[in-house]
Amino acid sequence: MKDRKYKFKLDFYYTSLIIYLFFLIGYAIIRGTFTDGSFYVVLNDPIIFIVLVFIALFFILLISNYVRSRELIFQDDKFIVRNRFGERSILYSDILQVKFSREKRRYSEEKSPHRIVKLKLKSRKRWLRMRLADYSNNKELVNEFKNIQKNISQQSA
């Protein structure tokens, strides 16, 4: 069967960066002054410094997440958590339990009712947690984990 890949979404970082840039440009235009036929931007304004910090922060986060290029790859007997620097294979037989976060009220059909999936592994004391909304094809990813949960419950019964 073909590998099913789910890539990490960077939409939030792109849109936040663009919104802050537009806000900075708009605020600079409003606060700027026209004197002698030229336009001067007020740089000593604390709001400009705060917005520049947010722009720098989101730019660093965008670059770091782009470089990591995280993805989940599902195969017949295991799934792989991969980034640019390494990967970890988790066999379905090593998973003891799969839990989803409690369902929230649904405001939109596009949003998934599940926020986080927790996996209890044989080789790990703590739960392995993954935010499902961070990956593309959110509904299909939820179905992948539900299938794993179903298979685990069938094996234990």
Side-chain angles (χ1 to χ4, degrees):
M1 189 173 195
K2 189 177 177 185
D3 293 347
R4 296 163 314 273
K5 293 184 180 184
Y6 300 94
K7 292 187 179 261
F8 190 79
K9 290 192 297 189
L10 299 173
D11 300 349
F12 174 73
Y13 302 108
Y14 283 123
T15 55
S16 298
L17 190 61
I18 289 171
I19 288 170
Y20 284 124
L21 282 171
F22 280 140
F23 177 78
L24 178 67
I25 292 168
Y27 188 78
I29 289 172
I30 291 171
R31 292 288 296 171
T33 58
F34 280 107
T35 54
D36 298 330
S38 60
F39 181 74
Y40 295 102
V41 177
V42 178
L43 295 177
N44 294 334
D45 195 354
I47 293 178
I48 289 180
F49 288 128
I50 292 171
V51 172
L52 286 174
V53 167
F54 278 109
I55 288 172
L57 176 72
F58 275 98
F59 187 71
I60 290 169
L61 287 172
L62 176 66
I63 296 298
S64 68
N65 281 318
Y66 181 76
V67 167
R68 285 203 312 207
S69 67
R70 293 186 278 180
E71 63 184 354
L72 295 174
I73 303 170
F74 286 85
Q75 296 176 346
D76 293 334
D77 60 339
K78 64 182 175 181
F79 75 93
I80 301 168
V81 180
R82 177 184 288 171
N83 64 24
R84 188 176 303 263
F85 307 111
E87 66 181 39
R88 179 178 180 181
S89 297
I90 299 172
L91 296 173
Y92 294 152
S93 59
D94 289 342
I95 301 173
L96 297 173
Q97 192 175 5
V98 177
K99 279 187 181 180
F100 292 96
S101 66
R102 63 188 163 122
E103 294 188 11
K104 305 289 182 182
R105 286 190 299 170
R106 294 175 73 172
Y107 295 105
S108 171
E109 287 298 319
E110 296 173 6
K111 294 183 181 177
S112 172
H114 305 291
R115 292 177 38 179
I116 296 175
V117 66
K118 299 180 212 174
L119 303 171
K120 182 65 177 167
L121 304 175
K122 291 179 183 176
S123 62
R124 192 178 154 121
K125 224 180 215 186
R126 302 177 102 191
W127 291 82
L128 177 64
R129 298 167 196 251
M130 287 184 257
R131 254 184 68 110
L132 299 178
D134 288 343
Y135 294 93
S136 61
N137 298 331
N138 193 5
K139 290 182 181 180
E140 293 176 18
L141 185 58
V142 169
N143 289 334
E144 293 281 353
F145 281 110
K146 282 187 177 182
N147 289 338
I148 293 171
Q149 185 180 32
K150 193 183 305 177
N151 291 339
I152 290 171
S153 64
Q154 288 175 356
Q155 289 175 358
S156 64

